[in-house]
Amino acid sequence: MASILDFLNTPKGEDFISKVSEITSEDKDKITAAMRLSFPMLLTAMKYNITSYKGNNSLYKALQEKDNSENLLENIKDLDASNLIAKSGGILDHIL
């Protein structure tokens, strides 16, 4: 069965790691390790958050918004750092 961690080994996952590495000036191996630790925690937080009506509704609305539903990974190489951080932060606000 595929895991969300398998994403990191795809071309888009590698682009994402490269972009985060560029933004943070951190080694790609450290970024990959951090993502391998954080993805399961974020999914667990999202699973917990959606058990309430408010959390479920908030995440659903966020996914319906044009700005958040735009596929960040399709254009990851072209995004500037501030735009990527802002969009990612907005999404995290709905998950945590």
Side-chain angles (χ1 to χ4, degrees):
M1 175 183 280
S3 161
I4 192 164
L5 298 177
D6 293 335
F7 162 75
L8 298 174
N9 297 323
T10 67
K12 287 183 184 179
E14 290 172 6
D15 289 345
F16 184 69
I17 291 167
S18 294
K19 189 64 171 186
V20 173
S21 177
E22 176 187 321
I23 291 168
T24 61
S25 300
E26 194 59 67
D27 181 67
K28 288 181 185 179
D29 290 336
K30 289 182 181 179
I31 298 297
T32 302
M35 288 184 183
R36 288 193 181 284
L37 291 172
S38 64
F39 279 4
M41 288 187 284
L42 290 171
L43 288 176
T44 300
M46 184 171 56
K47 182 179 175 182
Y48 175 77
N49 191 25
I50 64 172
T51 60
S52 74
Y53 175 79
K54 182 179 177 184
N56 190 341
N57 196 38
S58 175
L59 184 58
Y60 178 77
K61 284 182 179 180
L63 292 172
Q64 298 303 313
E65 293 174 6
K66 183 181 186 308
D67 287 344
N68 289 338
S69 63
E70 177 183 322
N71 193 342
L72 293 175
L73 298 177
E74 289 296 325
N75 303 311
I76 192 76
K77 289 181 180 179
D78 300 328
L79 286 176
D80 63 81
S82 61
N83 192 13
L84 179 62
I85 292 168
K87 286 181 180 273
S88 301
I91 293 168
L92 285 175
D93 284 342
H94 292 284
I95 293 175
L96 301 176

